[in-house]
Amino acid sequence: DAGVIQSPRHEVTEMGQEVTLRCKPISGHDYLFWYRQTMMRGLELLIYFNNNVPIDDSGMPEDRFSAKMPNASFSTLKIQPSEPRDSAVYFCASSTPLSGGSTDTQYFGPGTRLTVL
Amino acid sequence: QQQVKQSPQSLIVQKGGISIINCAYENTAFDYFPWYQQFPGKGPALLIAIRPDVSEKKEGRFTISFNKSAKQFSLHIMDSQPGDSATYFCAASPYRDKIIFGKGTRLHILP
């Protein structure tokens, strides 16, 4: 298996532009998570989906952020308009709970490093 | 109550020494406590995990110690090696719910 795939790996954009980050989870995983990592705030959960349905979006910082999961193999995180404070590494992760267990192992993608000038 | 508090923020250990990272939580509904390891330029990856029905779990040089009454758990890395230099995250999760991550500890092992 190729693991979680994210694109692009690096994105540099100017303030006010729309940014779309993409994620392909591991096949068969029914949970998908979007995280943001910065030095100041560490690893923050933005939103997560179960079976393509958003379950908890309480971590989405503001209305400029939106996420979709149109099918089991694809998700997007969109920032519109982007601001310099959105500069961070954005990770996508997927998992599938063991029977009777907790959320279990999350498999992270390599991340997208976003720089907003 | 949803927080997981991790310390120290950074840690420097001599090669061959013991690295210790501590975490504390408040939510008694947490029932799964994983540790993730992250190398520069990579995503975090599961290192080792424990459930509250045991007080210790060991995998090679890595050991989790768990104190349910104190709501604390820690990661011990024995015989620390330069290749262990990475950022370590403790985390906690209630049943079938999101994982709450600590802020991370940047570990540097001196050669």
Side-chain angles (χ1 to χ4, degrees), chain B residues 69-89:
Chain B
S69 61
K71 291 185 278 189
Q72 295 175 347
F73 58 111
S74 60
L75 176 70
H76 291 63
I77 306 174
M78 311 300 288
D79 187 26
S80 300
Q81 299 296 312
D84 298 330
S85 297
T87 299
Y88 292 80
F89 295 93

Side-chain angles (χ1 to χ4, degrees), chain A residues 82-107:
Chain A
S82 58
E83 296 183 4
R85 60 193 169 119
D86 302 330
S87 297
V89 180
Y90 290 81
F91 288 102
C92 174
S94 70
S95 74
T96 187
L98 289 174
S99 174
S102 298
T103 314
D104 205 66
T105 306
Q106 291 188 15
Y107 294 85

Side-chain angles (χ1 to χ4, degrees), chain B residues 12-29:
Chain B
I12 299 174
V13 175
Q14 291 279 354
K15 178 182 175 182
I18 303 173
S19 303
I20 302 174
I21 304 171
N22 299 300
C23 286
Y25 65 97
E26 291 293 326
N27 190 346
T28 55

Side-chain angles (χ1 to χ4, degrees), chain B residues 48-99:
Chain B
I48 186 173
I50 196 169
R51 299 196 188 276
D53 51 344
V54 296
S55 60
E56 186 176 282
K57 182 173 182 180
K58 185 176 181 179
E59 290 184 1
R61 296 183 294 107
F62 299 89
T63 299
I64 299 178
S65 297
F66 185 80
N67 185 330
K68 189 174 182 178
S69 61
K71 291 185 278 189
Q72 295 175 347
F73 58 111
S74 60
L75 176 70
H76 291 63
I77 306 174
M78 311 300 288
D79 187 26
S80 300
Q81 299 296 312
D84 298 330
S85 297
T87 299
Y88 292 80
F89 295 93
C90 64
S93 171
Y95 179 76
R96 289 190 176 272
D97 201 348
K98 61 190 177 186
I99 292 178

Side-chain angles (χ1 to χ4, degrees), chain A residues 37 48 56 102-103 106, chain B residues 31 36 38 46 97-98 103:
Chain A
Q37 185 175 33
Y48 78 97
D56 185 345
S102 298
T103 314
Q106 291 188 15
Chain B
D31 73 343
Y36 280 75
Q38 183 182 29
L46 179 69
D97 201 348
K98 61 190 177 186
K103 295 290 187 190

Side-chain angles (χ1 to χ4, degrees), chain A residues 54-102:
Chain A
I55 302 300
D56 185 345
D57 66 353
S58 60
M60 296 287 262
E62 47 197 277
D63 292 345
R64 297 184 297 107
F65 287 69
S66 62
K68 294 182 180 180
M69 192 165 186
N71 57 62
S73 59
F74 183 66
S75 177
T76 60
L77 178 67
K78 186 176 293 186
I79 308 172
Q80 165 64 17
S82 58
E83 296 183 4
R85 60 193 169 119
D86 302 330
S87 297
V89 180
Y90 290 81
F91 288 102
C92 174
S94 70
S95 74
T96 187
L98 289 174
S99 174
S102 298

